[in-house]
Amino acid sequence: MRDKKLVASIRDAIISAGLKDGMTISFHHHMRNGDYVLNMVMDEIAAMGFKDLTLNATALFDIHMPLIDHIKNGVVTTLMTNYMSAGLGKQICAGVMENPVQFRTHGTRPDDIIHGRTPIDIAFVAAPQSDDMGNCTGKYGKSACGSFGYAIVDAQYAKKTVVITDELVEYPMVGFTVPEVYVDYVVVVDAIGDPNGIVSGTTRITRDPVGLVMAQTAAKVVEHSGLLVDGFSFQTGAGGATLAGAKYLKDIMLAKGIKGSYVMGGITKYLVEMLQAGCFKTILDGQTFDLDSIDSLRNDPRHQEVSLYHYAGPNAPSCIVNSLDTIFAGATEVDVDFNVNVHTDSNGIIMGGSGGHSDICAGAKMAVIITPMFRNRLPMIRDRVTTITTPGKDIDVLVTQGGVAVNPKNVELKARLQAAGLPIVDIHELQAKAERMTGKPQPIRHGDKVVAEVIYRDGSIIDRIYNTL
């Protein structure tokens, strides 16, 4: 006789899963800024009177601003995440939480869950399609979000897993990602989110002339690095300049007839176009960023979804990032020791997080950072970054509109790029050039309360973020 997993409401699921004060609950962010599920669940939990919860979310966006009230009311007292948008970040930096936020990387988070360092009591999975036994996926449904890379480990390792869906299909569903064996309860709601909310303004190629110059230069760095050969593997971030860099790299690969192995990352239509053009054999997809990419994942067997542990688990027997040749990534700041900040702005306000930044830079043979010398009259190359996200030892090249700086550890790479005629300059020279245009910034003022800890992929605290004044 079949199990009865279907329950009538989120409240019934919370009761059935046995939530108690002090427990840890988790959420994934495949719906990004279109997510409804976290707010629905937290509002119900608050209404039921629960307190002192740990919330472990893969990322938090401004749609989740109601979470601040749950923090102020003591419903949530510990917060773990890999990324936090600026609206929430400003509140955290104002000191709204007693305990520091714990920032992990996309690889460290599932690794800590699997190995019992951050166990989950109840995982809430927002599923665009599910059957009544909990076989579910993000590939199909009216709220399709694409890859389920973040949800896989949560569902598998949580003590209880609740699937929340807005499209129930006949058992067994075809094309599931998470199988029923990991699911305890299923709830049907009117809407789990707005699929258009997964599309960020940063997931489009820049039209800024400065960004395009940097992108062209970054592609030439790869071309002359010695790594661009058949079997080449690549990941790019979702920023406008890094996506433009991927577009220029595509042109070079087609002109040279290079057949790459795999491309990965937050997947956009630009990477799908590289697959379709024959630049790569496969896409490995942990997070799908736009609707064209969702369609590709549904219909092209060469486009494969992977869990974030498979992507970047630092203690896994192997993981995908460790086979990468080259990555493009952005930065809010870089310092003269090549340390990179993507957690805070230059005033120390949280407006991001490592995500996979530290993972891919550590794993790739060549990590290329693309960032302008200055933004809004502030230099982006500092004596020391406001917050260290990724240590300089993992960065190989910095590309700006004023030239290319190569980490001094890469003597052979620097010689290759100089021989190719690229504008190679010392990073101190780039810093001086930027400061001649902007002036030297004043040190930021902050308090002595730690509002967040930045946890590197080896589990160490690489930096701390303090309250703003």
Side-chain angles (χ1 to χ4, degrees), residues 24 43 46 137 316 394 403:
T24 297
D43 288 348
T137 189
D394 294 336

Side-chain angles (χ1 to χ4, degrees), residues 53-73:
L53 300 178
T54 294
L55 194 156
N56 188 338
T58 55
L60 295 166
F61 294 86
D62 282 352
I63 197 170
H64 300 129
M65 283 297 291
L67 186 58
I68 296 299
D69 287 336
H70 300 311
I71 291 170
K72 291 179 178 178
N73 294 332

Side-chain angles (χ1 to χ4, degrees), residues 236-413:
T236 186
T242 54
L243 290 176
K247 186 264 183 193
Y248 290 122
L249 183 60
K250 171 189 170 186
D251 295 340
I252 293 169
M253 293 179 73
L254 291 175
K256 291 179 173 290
I258 301 294
K259 303 294 184 183
S261 171
Y262 67 92
V263 64
M264 67 177 302
I267 304 302
T268 64
K269 68 177 182 179
Y270 307 108
L271 300 188
V272 170
E273 288 169 359
M274 295 181 86
L275 175 71
Q276 293 171 342
C279 296
F280 293 98
K281 181 174 65 176
T282 186
I283 291 175
L284 301 177
D285 187 348
Q287 181 176 192
T288 316
F289 274 85
D290 59 34
L291 302 180
D292 290 333
S293 302
I294 294 171
D295 187 64
S296 172
L297 180 62
R298 273 195 295 258
N299 297 305
D300 191 337
R302 299 173 299 171
H303 189 158
Q304 305 175 79
E305 63 183 321
V306 296
S307 77
L308 269 290
Y309 186 62
H310 185 185
Y311 167 67
N315 293 303
S318 66
C319 63
I320 298 164
V321 299
N322 289 344
S323 295
L324 280 167
D325 287 311
T326 298
I327 66 95
F328 288 164
T332 56
E333 298 174 326
V334 182
D335 66 28
V336 294
D337 294 317
F338 287 84
N339 298 307
V340 174
N341 174 20
V342 293
H343 270 87
T344 60
D345 63 18
S346 295
N347 295 311
I349 304 295
I350 295 168
M351 40 66 69
S354 179
H357 197 288
S358 297
D359 298 314
I360 61 176
C361 290
K365 293 176 184 174
M366 184 175 70
V368 179
I369 302 299
I370 305 174
T371 196
M373 291 190 298
F374 51 85
R375 293 188 185 96
N376 301 322
R377 302 297 298 173
L378 284 173
M380 294 297 101
I381 303 171
R382 315 295 292 269
D383 292 331
R384 185 197 185 278
V385 290
T386 305
T387 304
I388 297 177
T389 299
T390 299
K393 67 181 179 64
D394 294 336
I395 306 302
D396 299 288
V397 180
L398 169 64
V399 175
T400 74
Q401 74 271 43
V404 177
V406 180
N407 193 315
K409 68 177 182 173
N410 297 314
V411 176
E412 181 182 348
L413 176 62

Side-chain angles (χ1 to χ4, degrees), residues 9 18 25 39 105 147-148 198 241 294 298 359 389 428 442 452 454:
S9 67
I25 57 176
N39 290 340
T105 76
S147 172
F148 242 26
I198 72 171
I294 294 171
R298 273 195 295 258
D359 298 314
T389 299
H428 294 87
Q442 295 296 315
V454 180

Side-chain angles (χ1 to χ4, degrees), residues 7-294:
V7 294
S9 67
I10 290 174
R11 177 173 287 233
D12 287 343
I14 292 167
I15 293 169
S16 298
L19 182 64
K20 293 181 173 60
D21 290 352
M23 282 188 169
T24 297
I25 57 176
S26 79
F27 299 88
H28 64 99
H29 76 279
H30 290 295
M31 298 302 291
R32 293 171 59 81
N33 207 39
D35 174 52
Y36 297 164
V37 167
L38 186 148
N39 290 340
M40 285 194 294
V41 172
M42 292 311 305
D43 288 348
E44 194 64 57
I45 285 173
M48 296 170 74
F50 292 104
K51 299 287 185 180
D52 194 28
L53 300 178
T54 294
L55 194 156
N56 188 338
T58 55
L60 295 166
F61 294 86
D62 282 352
I63 197 170
H64 300 129
M65 283 297 291
L67 186 58
I68 296 299
D69 287 336
H70 300 311
I71 291 170
K72 291 179 178 178
N73 294 332
V75 179
V76 173
T77 53
T78 301
L79 192 58
M80 303 175 181
T81 191
N82 309 344
Y83 174 96
M84 180 182 292
S85 59
L88 285 163
K90 185 175 182 179
Q91 293 291 318
I92 294 298
C93 287
V96 71
M97 287 198 79
E98 185 64 31
N99 297 322
V101 173
Q102 298 175 25
F103 278 106
R104 286 175 172 77
T105 76
H106 282 339
T108 304
R109 179 184 182 273
D111 195 87
D112 281 353
I113 292 169
I114 289 170
H115 292 97
R117 291 182 286 271
T118 56
I120 295 171
D121 292 298
I122 306 173
F124 294 93
V125 175
Q129 195 174 90
S130 176
D131 61 31
D132 62 353
M133 291 295 104
N135 297 295
C136 60
T137 189
K139 293 180 290 187
Y140 307 105
K142 63 183 181 181
S143 302
C145 61
S147 172
F148 242 26
Y150 296 102
I152 293 169
V153 166
D154 289 44
Q156 186 173 356
Y157 286 89
K159 294 173 185 174
K160 298 289 183 180
T161 297
V162 177
V163 166
I164 301 174
T165 187
D166 56 11
E167 187 165 319
L168 197 68
V169 297
E170 185 179 351
Y171 179 91
M173 81 157 293
V174 176
F176 60 83
T177 300
V178 173
E180 62 188 286
V181 294
Y182 302 127
V183 177
D184 298 282
Y185 305 101
V186 178
V187 183
V188 181
V189 296
D190 291 337
I192 61 169
D194 176 4
N196 292 310
I198 72 171
V199 181
S200 165
T202 63
T203 57
R204 298 177 179 87
I205 285 179
T206 183
R207 296 181 180 179
D208 173 37
V210 170
L212 293 174
V213 167
M214 293 190 298
Q216 286 180 309
T217 303
K220 290 177 182 176
V221 167
V222 178
E223 179 182 10
H224 298 291
S225 66
L227 297 171
L228 191 61
V229 297
D230 286 345
F232 171 75
S233 55
F234 174 62
Q235 174 167 341
T236 186
T242 54
L243 290 176
K247 186 264 183 193
Y248 290 122
L249 183 60
K250 171 189 170 186
D251 295 340
I252 293 169
M253 293 179 73
L254 291 175
K256 291 179 173 290
I258 301 294
K259 303 294 184 183
S261 171
Y262 67 92
V263 64
M264 67 177 302
I267 304 302
T268 64
K269 68 177 182 179
Y270 307 108
L271 300 188
V272 170
E273 288 169 359
M274 295 181 86
L275 175 71
Q276 293 171 342
C279 296
F280 293 98
K281 181 174 65 176
T282 186
I283 291 175
L284 301 177
D285 187 348
Q287 181 176 192
T288 316
F289 274 85
D290 59 34
L291 302 180
D292 290 333
S293 302
I294 294 171

